[in-house]
Amino acid sequence: MALVLNDEQTMLRDNARGFLAKNAPIAHLRALRDKRDAEGFSRALWKEFVEMGWAGILVPQDYGGLGLGHVEAGVVMEELGRTLTPSPFLATAVLAATAIARAGTDKQKQHYLPKLVAGDLIATLAVDEFAKHHPDHSAMTAARAGKDFKLNGAKTFVIDGHVANLLIVAARTAGKAGDTSGLTLFIVDASAPGVRAERTPTVDAHNAARITFQDVNISAENVLGKVDAGWDVLEGVLNVGRAAVAAEMVGASEEAFGRTVAYLKERKQFGKAIGEFQALQHRAAHLYCELEVTRAAVLKALQTLDDSYDRAGAIVSVAKARAGLSATLAVQEAVQMHGGIGMTDEFDIGLFMKRVRVCQELFGDSNFHADRLARLNRY
């Protein structure tokens, strides 16, 4: 398959780019940050996302969604990266929608998916328990209580966890930390007794939370997939999230690069634009090549998720690792080429560095995915 967008995907990209540039420029993020908004995103803007159908991109048409693919979800994520827009799109429309659509019973799909599409629910995935991403090390317990379960433990770095109505939680019903068997996914009402969310704003002014579970009773009807066999479902959902975050980093890094090139043409030193200096030209050319290779890798990962969902793990790790490295290079070069002003908060370029740093850690950094790729290839 050609590594280019088709006409419909290009139209979606252009529409999303125009809409976000007008309605959610970086000034939107600054306003939320500076007034210390309690929710950290605009519900009015999210309602517009819903009205455009973005909340249902990955939801089948039978449940009210658009029934599109991961490439289309990646297109929206890339444009969100360009404007650094905080929204529940990743948590709700990508992670939660994928988990329920892929593993839910028909009753669960009928109950939850239309509500996600309509914007009546904000949902997220709660998996990590440590400073670094190690989903197989989950130790949170889900002990049998008759036919039901009782959850105890804590999750950290839960995207939009403080505003979520619904949580997809990975907990251990058997085995020990480090085992891939024995994990089970649960659908948990965020308002259930024993669930407590503490907002932990990230350095990039986006949203995350630490969520604790103390003797939370969960009905067996709220098991997502099969008991003790949640790992394969979880890995699939994480792959989708990883590819989506990689697409966001492509958008952020290309926007940072574009702003830097414009600055090189404007800033003058010794009577000439600094972009005329060969050393900076070489660095810019190198960065451009790196970003183009990364764009191809990320698009290939999204296409593979659409065509061969269960065999996309390796290329997704390539895309996430590559996106982390090239985006980090892009924002570091951007700050350096802007000089002293690049370090000031009043200049937007530093905000891209902060967002890329968070995205690098989200669902595994470049080192995690290099190791994962080696293991998948039996090195």
Side-chain angles (χ1 to χ4, degrees):
M1 182 178 291
L3 295 176
V4 293
L5 301 179
N6 62 32
D7 290 343
E8 290 77 13
Q9 292 160 351
T10 300
M11 185 180 300
L12 173 62
R13 180 201 65 192
D14 293 343
N15 289 339
R17 185 172 298 180
F19 173 82
L20 291 170
K22 178 181 179 181
N23 297 283
I26 294 180
H28 172 73
L29 171 68
R30 285 185 175 277
L32 291 170
R33 183 199 67 176
D34 293 346
K35 71 178 182 181
R36 298 184 179 180
D37 186 89
E39 295 192 326
F41 77 103
S42 167
R43 288 191 180 268
L45 182 64
W46 176 241
K47 183 178 180 181
E48 293 190 64
F49 283 20
V50 169
E51 291 172 351
M52 291 187 294
W54 291 1
I57 282 181
L58 293 177
V59 175
Q61 292 180 343
D62 290 346
Y63 303 99
L66 297 181
L68 298 176
H70 300 94
V71 174
E72 286 80 6
V75 165
V76 175
M77 285 296 298
E78 180 179 332
E79 298 311 315
L80 291 172
R82 289 183 183 276
T83 57
L84 306 179
T85 305
S87 82
F89 180 81
L90 174 62
T92 301
V94 176
L95 298 171
T98 298
I100 296 173
R102 290 277 176 177
T105 63
D106 190 59
K107 181 178 179 181
Q108 289 170 338
K109 293 176 186 178
Q110 292 283 2
H111 182 71
Y112 294 113
L113 291 180
K115 293 182 179 180
L116 293 182
V117 173
D120 296 333
L121 279 179
I122 293 176
T124 190
L125 178 69
V127 57
D128 283 317
E129 299 177 11
F130 310 98
K132 287 288 188 178
H133 178 66
H134 288 291
D136 57 326
H137 289 183
S138 294
M140 178 176 165
T141 61
R144 288 279 189 178
K147 294 182 179 180
D148 300 331
F149 297 85
K150 186 168 290 188
L151 302 184
N152 280 284
K155 297 292 183 180
T156 190
F157 205 11
V158 180
I159 306 170
D160 296 309
H162 68 300
V163 293
N165 311 110
L166 197 71
L167 307 170
I168 310 296
V169 181
R172 189 162 293 283
T173 45
K176 61 182 184 301
D179 294 340
T180 56
S181 60
L183 286 174
T184 304
L185 297 182
F186 297 90
I187 299 175
V188 181
D189 184 340
S191 63
V195 179
R196 181 176 178 273
E198 176 190 1
R199 185 185 181 192
T200 54
T202 49
V203 68
D204 60 342
H206 282 60
N207 297 307
R210 173 179 169 81
I211 302 180
T212 57
F213 302 81
Q214 184 173 1
D215 292 333
V216 180
N217 291 311
I218 302 296
S219 167
E221 294 182 353
N222 285 344
V223 172
L224 188 61
K226 297 180 180 180
V227 175
D228 294 341
W231 176 254
D232 287 343
V233 175
L234 179 61
E235 271 287 87
V237 174
L238 288 172
N239 281 337
V240 174
R242 291 159 177 160
V245 173
E248 182 179 359
M249 284 195 281
V250 168
S253 56
E254 289 193 347
E255 179 67 18
F257 176 71
R259 289 171 178 243
T260 302
V261 170
Y263 185 76
L264 293 179
K265 295 176 181 178
E266 296 170 0
R267 177 76 167 93
K268 290 187 177 181
Q269 195 171 29
F270 306 114
K272 59 168 59 177
I274 60 175
E276 295 182 46
F277 298 130
Q278 193 174 57
L280 295 183
Q281 291 175 353
H282 286 171
R283 288 167 66 175
H286 170 69
L287 178 55
Y288 174 80
C289 293
E290 291 294 306
L291 296 181
E292 285 298 298
V293 173
T294 297
R295 168 176 285 282
V298 172
L299 181 53
K300 180 63 176 178
L302 295 166
Q303 291 175 343
T304 304
L305 283 166
D306 284 332
D307 297 336
S308 305
Y309 181 86
D310 294 328
R311 295 193 295 273
I315 184 59
V316 166
S317 277
V318 170
K320 182 64 166 64
R322 173 117 203 144
L325 292 173
S326 62
T328 298
L329 177 64
V331 295
Q332 288 177 343
E333 289 286 70
V335 169
Q336 287 191 21
M337 292 187 192
H338 277 82
I341 196 173
M343 298 297 294
T344 64
D345 183 69
E346 66 186 60
F347 216 67
D348 288 341
I349 207 71
L351 299 176
F352 287 92
M353 175 176 277
K354 293 176 181 178
R355 182 58 186 160
V356 164
R357 187 69 189 89
V358 171
C359 287
Q360 168 76 300
E361 293 296 327
L362 192 55
F363 307 137
D365 62 13
S366 296
N367 290 333
F368 173 91
H369 285 287
D371 180 73
R372 180 173 184 255
L373 183 61
R375 293 175 186 274
L376 288 172
N377 285 286
R378 302 185 184 279
Y379 284 106

